[in-house]
Amino acid sequence: MDNRAIGVLDSGIGGLTSAKVLEEILPREDIIYFGDSRRMPYGGHTKEEIREMSVQGAAFLDSFNVKAILLACGTISTNAADMLRDRFKTPFIGVVDAACAAAARVTRTKKIGVIATPPSIASGVYERGLTGCRGDLTVITHACANFAGMVEQGHFRVGDALAEREVGRELKCFLGSGIDTLLLGCTHYPLLSEVIAQYLGAEIRQISAGVEAARALADYLTGRDMLADRAAGRRLWYTSGDPHTFGHTADIFLGHHIVPEQKIL
Ligand code: DGL
């Protein structure tokens, strides 16, 4: 038993895709969330900048003496997880391994598409993760430079002209490609999943990296007897951006009202 909180780190609201699952499957856990919305998209930064910002976010969460930190961000997981594990004693669970395992498990055509931010795709980490799970996969990757920023600004619903136009422009490369599974390698992207399903077809299985990572964290804590033992967990939400904007999207997405605090690192 371990009653310390779980830290959740993202560049913005994308990590809510993990936080939502954590709230559902680990309701007794305290969760401390930090989304660096002021400096997002991390996908527009250099690897060095991503690593520096990730250290700052991790150090902030670590200052609460958390028992584990969920890197609920593909860009951090692919570009900075190794360094964070070297620098901190706290365990970090990233999104890559769990997402790749899930995608490799469900594909029937053995053709998997991966979309993520440019630094995540450039790292090759998702490709290596998938082919490491199964040697017989064909992996088609595509970087979507504008998706995360667009989602953060609230453009993610069916009927939103910008979201529909961008999804059509970026995902055209998957039409007729034979993929049956699309790995959403950026945690902001599941907010676009209905727009993506409308464009690519509902039969294309979408794997959310943030959702799979939350489940992997639950398994990690369960396997080490590190779950909390209390009636109900508390939540602390921090954003470096505008708390009102963050809270508005979070309320819609999580299905309950949250009051974020602003924290600029
Ligand atoms: N949610 C992020 C990810 O999973 C980051 C997007 C960004 O800030 O560019 O990659």
Side-chain angles (χ1 to χ4, degrees):
M1 192 260 286
D2 188 337
N3 274 336
R4 291 178 297 165
I6 295 167
V8 179
L9 179 62
D10 182 43
S11 63
I13 58 170
L16 295 175
T17 55
S18 295
K20 187 175 183 197
V21 176
L22 289 179
E23 288 195 326
E24 282 162 16
I25 63 177
L26 299 177
R28 293 163 183 254
E29 299 292 332
D30 286 353
I31 298 170
I32 304 175
Y33 185 102
F34 176 69
D36 199 2
S37 304
R38 188 178 69 95
R39 298 191 291 192
M40 80 86 59
Y42 276 20
H45 289 268
T46 64
K47 178 164 183 157
E48 287 64 39
E49 288 166 347
I50 293 165
R51 287 162 87 89
E52 179 59 29
M53 294 185 294
S54 303
V55 170
Q56 291 168 359
F60 173 62
L61 291 172
D62 207 42
S63 70
F64 292 90
N65 189 29
V66 291
K67 60 184 165 190
I69 294 178
L70 183 61
L71 300 176
C73 174
T75 311
I76 296 175
S77 301
T78 52
N79 281 266
D82 53 343
M83 185 207 48
L84 294 173
R85 291 188 178 113
D86 284 348
R87 290 229 191 153
F88 295 86
K89 288 204 190 84
T90 307
F92 289 92
I93 309 295
V95 296
V96 177
D97 293 347
C100 289
R105 205 168 44 238
V106 301
T107 182
R108 296 283 167 265
T109 62
K110 300 177 202 153
K111 282 194 182 162
I112 297 177
V114 180
I115 52 173
T117 63
S120 287
I121 295 299
S123 74
V125 171
Y126 278 115
E127 256 170 309
R128 287 197 293 281
L130 284 165
T131 50
C133 288
R134 262 177 88 157
D136 59 351
L137 296 177
T138 301
V139 180
I140 304 172
T141 62
H142 183 70
C144 302
N146 301 329
F147 276 14
M150 181 178 82
V151 166
E152 190 86 14
Q153 283 159 20
H155 298 286
F156 52 80
R157 294 181 190 82
V158 168
D160 183 295
L162 178 64
E164 291 186 351
R165 191 178 66 236
E166 279 297 303
V167 164
R169 202 168 62 82
E170 295 288 5
L171 303 193
K172 208 184 309 160
C173 57
F174 293 112
L175 293 177
S177 66
I179 64 158
D180 66 349
T181 304
L182 182 67
L183 196 168
L184 310 182
C186 166
T187 55
H188 279 70
Y189 298 178
L191 283 91
L192 284 167
S193 60
E194 285 177 23
V195 181
I196 294 173
Q198 178 179 266
Y199 182 74
L200 286 184
E203 68 282 5
I204 303 291
R205 191 87 174 252
Q206 297 182 33
I207 300 292
S208 159
V211 169
E212 298 305 328
R215 293 187 185 134
L217 174 66
D219 289 347
Y220 178 92
L221 296 177
T222 306
R224 285 164 181 77
D225 191 23
M226 286 172 71
L227 291 173
D229 181 20
R230 66 164 78 76
R234 290 155 299 178
R235 320 275 180 243
L236 287 176
W237 306 94
Y238 292 96
T239 174
S240 60
D242 172 38
H244 179 75
T245 309
F246 184 95
H248 180 67
T249 309
D251 287 355
I252 298 169
F253 192 63
L254 295 171
H256 60 83
H257 182 56
I258 69 162
V259 183
E261 266 187 53
Q262 192 177 50
K263 175 72 190 172
I264 295 177
L265 300 180

